[in-house]
Amino acid sequence: MRRSLATFGLIALVLLSAVAPAATAQVNDGSDYTQGAYIEADVTKDVHQLDWSSALTYEADDGSQAQLPGTLNESVNNTYQYQATDLEAAALGEFPRKDESNNSASGLDASEWTASGASVTDTEPAAGVEAIGVSASAAGDSASYSNFSVSSDEPNRYLQLVLDVNSLASGAEVQIEVVDSDGDYKQAIVNGSASMAEDVIATGTGEGYVYQRQLGKMATNTAGDGTFDNIEKVRIEFVGGTADLTITGMNVEKMTTWSFGERKVDTDDDDGLETETVTEHKETGAIAIDDLSTIGDALDEGAIHDLTMPVKFRTSDVGGSDVQVNFTAADGYPSFSDRASLYYRLELPSAYDLSYADAELVAETELPSNRYLAVEYAEGVSDTEFTDISTWSDETSQFDNEGDKVSLDTTIQPGQKIAIHAKYLVTGDERSAIESSGVVGGPIGDSGGGFFSNLPLIGGIAAAIGAVIGRLKGLI
């Protein structure tokens, strides 16, 4: 009798272990019946090295390279945005070229400028970005740079400038001139009252202006013999008022332009997008380009500070304990076999080098509204087991039109984990489509299911009982 009791006790243990709930992360994210969600946000990285193989790479707090656990939002044209004056590239300061192996001069070195009333100082608008600040305290102030000479191919050279206009007094004009040996000069201007034209750099204050124009296409202002040759000076004059500039790039020697990347734009009003190389930027706001690899070779060995891009942090990108799924029988719903219950955990990574704007938790309504039994989210859940979360916010009522994009949460903080739970009705074929492989079983905080919901386990239970009984025959 004692042996019989022991036998039944062991069988009971087998039964308990066989029917114990088991959650797995086997989810086919490519299925049309897998209800997912994502956080979309504009991510700004403090620095992006242009030799990194992925735009999603960033510098973690310990100095190592890390990867954003998301994907670029490919629905946005011209994905990457940056200010030209936040571009750290040696080529922007390689004027003049005096020695190919060890250049001994730079137009971005304030000590090489001669000022007449104006102030010229070394500055750094972003870490590692060399620049000079040029400002006037009164109309008539000027500054000049003459530590170079160009005595050949003068019409083929370009006046190249990358600058911020920090302030511009009413009525003031900044004249930037390329001057030859007897005083003839080419001129480009910053003027708040000017209409945009070829000789205009900017018409107001702002960041990241880029001006590149071939000298031979610019009008010659005669102050000498009228023939523009033997370039010996760059002069900045403040006329009619004061202004303040930050210059991060300057050159009058190159016979080609710098490329700041390629963008998609409708250039011929046919509603189609064409590819255009950014060589000038005369409006306020960031440069927007489609591909970082299109930044020209002269600039691509540096870094971009404050690079911004749209990223989606998707439930399909998570795994391990951050995704769980189970199915229970759809009792009372004769058209469906199962209730699918999906749980996910998402977060925006927190790091000194990362900042976010317009972060929003979003889901797209994958199924007809009568399928949804619950859609909810919870903030600040850390690694709490999904079954232990009690702070769910119910959003089921928003899922009333298939195909709609639903906003769930706009108060997302970096480093804060958010849980998402979707419970809805599926057919047997749809359940198979959701499961990536094998049987995904075990209720997680669900009730119901009935006896037949466990049919996939019956064979295993019977086999286990048989094995135990067989092994224990000699003990009874």
Side-chain angles (χ1 to χ4, degrees):
M1 182 62 180
R2 289 180 179 176
R3 289 181 179 178
S4 297
L5 290 173
T7 298
F8 286 113
L10 288 170
I11 291 172
L13 288 173
V14 170
L15 284 169
L16 288 172
S17 63
V19 299
T24 74
Q26 297 175 338
V27 177
N28 177 12
D29 294 301
S31 166
D32 292 337
Y33 308 102
T34 300
Q35 178 61 55
Y38 54 90
I39 299 172
E40 58 183 6
D42 289 333
V43 181
T44 298
K45 299 192 295 181
D46 184 64
V47 63
H48 174 80
Q49 301 293 337
L50 285 167
D51 62 358
W52 283 345
S53 60
S54 171
L56 297 174
T57 302
Y58 69 96
E59 185 174 306
D61 291 349
D62 63 1
S64 64
Q65 289 183 25
Q67 199 81 357
L68 288 168
T71 185
L72 289 170
N73 188 349
E74 296 179 351
S75 66
V76 177
N77 291 319
N78 301 319
T79 307
Y80 308 97
Q81 296 188 42
Y82 71 97
Q83 298 285 358
T85 45
D86 285 336
L87 178 59
E88 178 187 346
L92 297 176
E94 290 178 343
F95 162 75
R97 296 297 297 172
K98 289 183 174 291
D99 186 328
E100 291 297 325
S101 61
N102 183 21
N103 201 31
S104 60
S106 174
L108 300 185
D109 184 346
S111 67
E112 297 180 27
W113 285 73
T114 300
S116 177
S119 171
V120 183
T121 58
D122 291 314
T123 187
E124 196 175 62
V129 177
E130 295 184 356
I132 54 169
V134 184
S135 62
S137 58
D141 287 355
S142 66
S144 61
Y145 184 86
S146 57
N147 190 11
F148 75 100
S149 65
V150 177
S151 58
S152 64
D153 299 307
E154 293 92 337
N156 297 325
R157 313 286 177 166
Y158 279 81
L159 169 58
Q160 298 175 290
L161 297 164
V162 183
L163 55 85
D164 295 335
V165 180
N166 304 311
S167 67
L168 184 66
S170 177
E173 179 173 283
V174 182
Q175 301 171 349
I176 300 181
E177 301 165 348
V178 183
V179 188
D180 76 0
S181 57
D182 64 359
D184 298 320
Y185 63 95
K186 311 281 188 173
Q187 183 186 84
I189 64 172
V190 177
N191 187 318
S193 302
S195 299
M196 188 54 66
E198 291 288 351
D199 62 347
V200 175
I201 301 167
T203 58
T205 58
E207 294 182 77
Y209 291 111
V210 178
Y211 183 83
Q212 300 188 89
R213 194 169 183 218
Q214 199 170 37
L215 293 173
K217 295 180 180 179
M218 300 175 70
T220 299
N221 294 275
T222 302
D225 62 7
T227 301
F228 187 77
D229 56 7
N230 297 317
I231 304 169
E232 292 187 350
K233 185 182 297 184
V234 174
R235 182 170 60 217
I236 301 176
E237 295 192 330
F238 298 87
V239 178
T242 61
D244 180 16
L245 310 179
T246 299
I247 301 174
T248 64
M250 184 177 76
N251 206 309
V252 296
E253 290 180 325
K254 282 174 57 63
M255 291 189 283
T256 57
T257 57
W258 292 314
S259 168
F260 290 83
E262 294 179 355
R263 62 187 174 194
K264 301 292 186 182
V265 62
D266 183 6
T267 59
D268 52 15
D269 297 324
D270 64 354
D271 295 328
L273 297 179
E274 292 78 41
T275 299
E276 177 182 80
T277 299
V278 179
T279 57
E280 286 196 319
H281 190 67
K282 294 186 176 185
E283 61 271 13
T284 58
I287 292 173
I289 61 173
D290 197 57
D291 187 344
L292 289 175
S293 69
T294 62
I295 291 177
D297 293 343
L299 307 177
D300 68 359
E301 294 182 358
I304 297 175
H305 296 265
D306 295 327
L307 176 68
T308 299
M309 56 192 174
V311 179
K312 286 184 176 182
F313 300 85
R314 308 173 301 178
T315 52
S316 57
D317 294 325
V318 302
S321 61
D322 288 331
V323 53
Q324 292 181 4
V325 62
N326 75 88
F327 298 91
T328 56
D331 296 337
Y333 298 94
S335 298
F336 304 98
S337 62
D338 296 274
R339 297 181 181 91
S341 200
L342 292 172
Y343 291 82
Y344 300 99
R345 202 184 327 263
L346 292 174
E347 72 172 317
L348 297 178
S350 177
Y352 294 125
D353 262 16
L354 299 177
S355 58
Y356 301 90
D358 301 323
E360 182 177 16
L361 177 63
V362 172
E364 295 175 4
T365 306
E366 303 287 353
L367 301 165
S369 60
N370 63 349
R371 299 277 200 106
Y372 290 97
L373 303 176
V375 183
E376 53 194 1
Y377 75 93
E379 296 179 328
V381 297
S382 186
D383 293 321
T384 305
E385 292 292 336
F386 291 119
T387 50
D388 295 333
I389 296 172
S390 60
T391 56
W392 295 107
S393 296
D394 182 27
E395 300 291 339
T396 314
S397 62
Q398 291 202 68
F399 289 75
D400 54 1
N401 288 305
E402 187 175 359
D404 278 1
K405 182 178 177 180
V406 176
S407 175
L408 300 176
D409 187 12
T410 58
T411 61
I412 300 164
Q413 300 298 317
Q416 179 189 72
K417 293 188 176 182
I418 300 174
I420 304 102
H421 173 220
K423 183 178 180 181
Y424 52 97
L425 299 168
V426 294
T427 66
D429 288 343
E430 291 167 355
R431 169 177 173 165
S432 297
I434 294 170
E435 295 172 327
S436 60
S437 63
V439 175
V440 188
I444 310 174
D446 276 334
S447 59
F451 176 80
F452 290 101
S453 66
N454 290 318
L455 279 177
L457 302 176
I458 297 299
I461 296 171
I465 294 172
V468 172
I469 291 174
R471 293 180 63 184
L472 297 176
K473 279 183 178 179
L475 299 176
I476 301 175

